[in-house]
Amino acid sequence: MTERNNVLYVILDSVRAENTSLHGYDRETTPFLSEFADRSTVYRQARAPGIHSIASHVSMFTGAHVEQHQAMRHTAQIDPETTIWHELAAEYGYSTGLFTNNRIVSDASNLADSFDHVHEPEYPLPERLEDTFDDTIFEKAYYRWHDALSRAGEFTGAALDSSETVAAAYDGISKQIGTITDAVLDSDDDSSGYKTLLGTEFTDAFLDWERSQPGPWAACINLMDAHSPYEPESEYDRWATEANWRSQSAKPSIWETLRGRGWDRIEALEPLYDGTIRQSDAVVRDLVERLEERGLLSETLLVVTSDHGEAFGERSRLNPELRLRGHKWGIPEVLTHVPLLVSYPGQTEGRVVDRPVSLTGTPALLRAAADGQTAPGTDGSTGA
């Protein structure tokens, strides 16, 4: 078999371009990516296909736009054979691996079926409920519960002014499910809260797996360091105060903000978010340095990007009375403009591409690497 470039696709979950020093942000949140840009290609106008993990991941994996694949629920099921990962394995002879603590990608949906090998942490929820439920049944029920709740929110949001009773009922359900979710995802115990795991657990697992591969490999690493709750390790927590941390523990409910309350506590989360981006940047630095130590970087297509951004009270440009939070609703720039840095095999000089590109071009980019392309397209494209 002809020697092929390796492929490594790193997704910094929830990192928006606006808050990266790579894109000129005043806080130095991405010192390594800014340095690495001097020998990589930076696409300054990259856009995520969607604003949720599931929608964006399906688009990145298949090349289809969200309106085409319609996979917008946590429990979405797709044909794994439509993904670039299956293609790389079946047609190019790659070993494929997924390394993630994003349970929507690895468990609620079937996206993990696209890979030969999957590394994920143990899901703590059944353990914390003392095995009250069968694991598989509970996980499926939980995610379908969440999807149903989201659909209810679409209805009650529209009916808020005319049906305070329905809104109050929805708020009560949200709090009940939120109690379970917060117990797991917002836990102070890092061993039980999978979203608070430092990303090096997954880069370490990838590097261990890589050593055992006899031929070319293609891997996807999803790092949740910058996903809420924003809990940067102390060495990366450079801009938050105790008041910012208190705001996170007292984050307002969706219904409070819909009624115009609590936006100051949402805005106060941004310094913590910036610390988590700096933490993500450090994880990538460690990963790249170890790839270089093994002599792998020069023969690997390395892509660093994000699936979507976050909102901290930004106002709608169409209706300034509307404000945005998290990545639940709306398609503003803060949610769709994401970092995209590509280190092509053998690249040693930096390049900047200002033309807009979509992450739906991911399959074409990875396919081009498998075919031996070692530079951007002549028009500065990713290969799409």
Side-chain angles (χ1 to χ4, degrees), residues 218-370:
C220 177
I221 303 176
N222 178 293
L223 300 175
M224 297 283 278
D225 297 69
H227 195 287
S228 63
Y230 313 114
E231 298 177 341
E233 299 284 319
S234 58
E235 62 184 298
Y236 309 113
D237 184 19
R238 299 197 169 198
W239 302 285
T241 65
E242 289 185 10
N244 298 122
W245 282 93
R246 286 196 299 272
S247 291
Q248 178 151 254
S249 63
K251 189 165 62 173
S253 70
I254 291 172
W255 288 101
E256 283 184 84
T257 51
L258 282 175
R259 294 171 179 129
R261 301 192 295 269
W263 284 108
D264 57 330
R265 284 174 279 158
I266 296 295
E267 293 170 348
L269 299 176
E270 197 166 357
L272 288 166
Y273 175 65
D274 291 341
T276 64
I277 296 177
R278 177 137 185 152
Q279 179 172 308
S280 301
D281 182 79
V283 174
V284 175
R285 175 191 291 275
D286 176 72
L287 173 63
V288 170
E289 288 177 349
R290 294 166 74 182
L291 288 173
E292 289 181 300
E293 289 172 3
R294 297 186 186 184
L296 291 172
L297 186 62
S298 62
E299 56 192 51
T300 300
L301 173 77
L302 171 62
V303 181
V304 181
T305 188
S306 176
D307 56 344
H308 55 73
E310 293 283 79
F312 296 95
E314 288 82 2
R315 294 183 181 276
S316 166
R317 293 172 64 183
L318 294 177
N319 183 354
E321 293 183 5
L322 297 178
R323 303 183 70 177
L324 302 159
R325 59 176 284 176
H327 53 271
K328 300 292 186 183
W329 301 283
I331 49 172
E333 278 285 279
V334 291
L335 296 189
T336 58
H337 187 195
V338 294
L340 175 59
L341 182 150
V342 181
S343 173
Y344 288 87
Q347 183 173 1
T348 57
E349 296 183 1
R351 181 173 182 177
V352 175
V353 177
D354 287 320
R355 65 182 291 274
V357 296
S358 169
L359 295 186
T360 54
T362 293
L365 171 62
L366 305 194
R367 190 179 300 114

Side-chain angles (χ1 to χ4, degrees), residues 108-165:
S109 69
N110 72 332
L111 268 62
D113 293 346
S114 307
F115 298 84
D116 301 327
H117 173 82
V118 178
H119 173 85
E120 57 181 334
E122 293 183 2
Y123 192 39
L125 191 50
E127 295 174 11
R128 292 178 67 82
L129 292 176
E130 299 179 340
D131 297 321
T132 302
F133 302 94
D134 170 78
D135 294 5
T136 302
I137 293 175
F138 182 81
E139 287 185 25
K140 289 182 178 178
Y142 171 76
Y143 285 111
R144 284 178 171 78
W145 218 3
H146 189 285
D147 286 348
L149 190 60
S150 297
R151 288 192 290 274
E154 293 168 6
F155 168 76
T156 54
L160 180 61
D161 293 335
S162 60
S163 180
E164 288 292 330
T165 301

